């Protein structure tokens, strides 16, 4: 059984855990550097990226997390996507810099501007999972403003990339854990 860590400092980590369990993986809630030792990959959930960074520093998890990410797959949703990006704006902030993407925080607007949208994933995503529209829950979502040459866009919303992968990394600016559609998590599990 694959053991998948879910960073459990802030955000809806329990929803990711339920999705992983439904797919036959063992969720491991990560709160300390020691928790990273026996997992096959990690999900960094949504939440508030500035708060998450503060908590990562307080728990002395930032450097161990970056080191873990150099050797293992990581999937970041919303705030997790911000933490994986090479560049962050609005305002600028520190990140793990594991993916060659630039992200603008809260770019779709405030909490009141949150929405549920229907996406038609790129053919590559459909070929690796299965075809069909996907529900995407956007909550104070960032926008991916730039993708590097090795980053592949797997889904777009209003022409903006919202699901991107680069080698062992995957980011979504929406919250797939809040949908019954588990294809994004299945894709991540395939990286382990």
């Amino acid at each position: 059984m694959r053991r998948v860590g879910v960073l459990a400092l802030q955000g809806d980590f329990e929803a990711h855990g339920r999705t992983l369990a439904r797919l036959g993986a063992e969720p491991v809630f990560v709160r300390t550097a020691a928790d990273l030792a026996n997992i096959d990959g990690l999900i960094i959930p949504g939440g508030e990226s500035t708060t998450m960074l503060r908590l990562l520093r307080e728990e002395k998890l930032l450097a161990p997390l970056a080191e873990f990410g150099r050797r293992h797959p990581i999937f970041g949703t919303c705030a997790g996507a911000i933490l994986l990006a090479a560049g962050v704006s609005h305002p600028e902030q520190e990140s793990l810099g594991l993916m060659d993407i630039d992200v603008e925080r809260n770019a779709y607007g405030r909490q009141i501007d949150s929405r549920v949208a229907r996406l038609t994933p790129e053919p590559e995503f459909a070929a690796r999972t299965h075809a069909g529209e996907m529900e995407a829950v956007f909550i104070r979502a960032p926008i991916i403003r730039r993708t590097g040459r090795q980053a592949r866009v797997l889904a777009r919303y209003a022409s903006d990339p919202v699901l991107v992968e680069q080698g062992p990394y995957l980011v979504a600016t929406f919250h797939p854990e809040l949908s019954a559609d588990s294809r994004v998590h299945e894709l991540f599990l395939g990286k382990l």
Side-chain angles (χ1 to χ4, degrees):
M1 177 181 284
R2 292 168 290 193
R3 300 184 83 234
V4 182
V6 183
L7 187 65
L9 299 179
Q10 194 231 2
D12 198 357
F13 50 87
E14 290 178 347
H16 282 288
R18 286 189 296 273
T19 302
L20 291 169
R22 206 170 54 242
L23 294 172
E26 179 186 351
V28 176
F29 295 118
V30 172
R31 293 180 176 92
T32 68
D35 295 333
L36 295 169
N38 296 306
I39 57 175
D40 301 308
L42 180 72
I43 295 175
I44 303 176
E48 208 291 313
S49 62
T50 307
T51 301
M52 220 176 270
L53 270 173
R54 182 177 55 77
L55 293 170
L56 285 169
R57 284 189 203 101
E58 285 176 11
E59 298 301 324
K60 298 183 179 17
L61 250 171
L62 200 54
L65 191 58
E67 180 58 32
F68 178 88
R70 286 190 273 283
R71 298 185 323 272
H72 297 89
I74 297 182
F75 171 30
T77 61
C78 202
I82 294 168
L83 291 177
L84 287 176
V88 179
S89 63
H90 197 247
E92 289 185 15
Q93 75 178 38
E94 183 180 7
S95 67
L96 296 170
L98 294 171
M99 283 187 74
D100 188 15
I101 59 173
D102 292 339
V103 175
E104 180 182 342
R105 297 176 61 224
N106 303 321
Y108 286 112
R110 298 162 43 120
Q111 188 79 20
I112 197 165
D113 300 310
S114 298
R115 67 194 64 123
V116 178
R118 303 295 299 172
L119 308 178
T120 302
E122 298 293 325
E124 180 182 351
F125 178 83
R128 290 167 59 196
T129 60
H130 61 270
E133 281 192 333
M134 178 176 10
E135 181 180 73
V137 179
F138 292 93
I139 303 171
R140 292 182 63 215
I143 289 180
I144 297 171
R145 294 294 187 193
R146 181 193 65 82
T147 58
R149 280 192 293 206
Q150 294 181 352
R152 289 193 311 248
V153 176
L154 300 178
R156 296 178 184 276
Y157 172 69
S159 78
D160 295 313
V162 295
L163 181 64
V164 176
E165 75 174 339
Q166 179 183 319
Y169 311 119
L170 180 67
V171 295
T173 61
F174 57 96
H175 291 266
E177 75 280 8
L178 299 180
S179 169
D181 186 336
S182 59
R183 286 180 289 170
V184 177
H185 285 82
E186 289 171 19
L187 184 70
F188 178 65
L189 290 176
K191 294 178 174 295
L192 306 181

